[in-house]
Amino acid sequence: MIRFVKAHACGNDFLIVDAAELSAERQRDVAVKLCERNTGIGADGVEYLEWTGERSGRIRLFNADGSLAEISGNGTRCVAAWMAHEKRLGPGDSITLNTDAGLRECSIVKAEGDRFQIASLMGVPKIEPRTVKLGDGVVEGIAVSVGNPHFVIFVEDPAFGFRGRRWQEVGHQVCFHPDFPEQTNVEFVRVIGTNEIEIRIFERGVGPTTSSGTGTCATAVATIVHHGGADHIVVRAPGGDQEVEWLGGESEILLTGPAELIARGEAFRC
């Protein structure tokens, strides 16, 4: 029996499990079973949490397909919300989480029962233009690392189509392209204004998803660098809006968005 907490950030849902509940060797298989939408609890991933202090922890993230992810911005925020709930933290308080992409500091902006607004420092991005060859030609994009890999494609189609094809199809092809032996997250971006963009996400290990914290960071950074975007950008995704502030260079990204606790329970067959 595995105890869990379920939370979501803009529809990107995660299960939070105390790492002490099971051995490290079992974490992957249990994550796959828990994330299954029809026969499990259902989630995009499982965050295994090890408390290291009153306001600090170590987290390890497995995607729904069992792959190990370096970090999730939304998942990190969900864990911070759960820790804040448990320790009764409020605006002005902060939580430090050690991820496979490094330390992330999360500050509580708002706390209303089971709903939180959290600002997270997401590290210094690495950016470079990159092309990928598909069967119907070359895709020009921006490779952005925010602790995990992203490939950002700018489009003008309101439906986010690319060369007459659905973004989901192109996203799948790019994600599993041989140029990315460990796969990559893929985002499609439509620039609305200097401080506003809209995105669609094909997430590595998950597929099309409603939101991505690191994807939000990656698309905002690519817009700032290559499309003259402002240093404060609202990023709109199907699951909701998040805000990114980045001053360029070696400054850290600041990501602000919601996280909501949904339920806690026990899974019997793991």
Side-chain angles (χ1 to χ4, degrees), residues 211-228:
S211 180
S212 166
T214 56
T216 294
C217 292
T219 53
V221 165
T223 302
I224 291 169
V225 173
H226 292 280
H227 281 263

Side-chain angles (χ1 to χ4, degrees), residues 66-203:
S67 58
L68 185 62
E70 301 89 344
I71 188 174
S72 163
N74 286 345
T76 298
R77 207 162 65 243
C78 285
V79 174
W82 169 240
M83 294 174 72
H85 178 272
E86 283 291 275
K87 299 301 179 180
R88 299 186 180 183
L89 305 181
D93 292 327
S94 62
I95 291 167
T96 301
L97 289 168
N98 188 5
T99 76
D100 284 347
L103 291 175
R104 296 293 185 265
E105 183 175 345
C106 303
S107 300
I108 311 301
V109 178
K110 292 181 183 178
E112 299 175 347
D114 54 5
R115 297 181 179 182
F116 296 82
Q117 190 80 359
I118 297 173
S120 306
L121 286 171
M122 295 295 292
V124 179
K126 297 178 181 178
I127 315 134
E128 65 172 343
R130 189 165 179 179
T131 59
V132 175
K133 291 183 179 179
L134 299 182
D136 59 349
V138 173
V139 179
E140 296 183 356
I142 311 297
V144 183
S145 172
V146 288
N148 62 352
H150 295 264
F151 189 82
V152 179
I153 302 170
F154 287 91
V155 297
E156 295 183 0
D157 180 7
F160 295 87
F162 183 81
R163 292 181 186 154
R165 293 195 291 153
R166 297 169 66 241
W167 65 267
Q168 296 93 332
E169 178 188 350
V170 178
H172 183 277
Q173 282 191 290
V174 174
C175 175
F176 290 95
H177 196 278
D179 285 357
F180 303 106
E182 296 183 0
Q183 302 177 18
T184 185
N185 300 287
V186 187
E187 286 85 27
F188 297 81
V189 184
R190 194 166 69 91
V191 178
I192 300 172
T194 56
N195 65 347
E196 183 181 3
I197 60 176
E198 188 177 2
I199 67 172
R200 294 295 183 268
I201 307 132
F202 191 97
E203 187 170 354

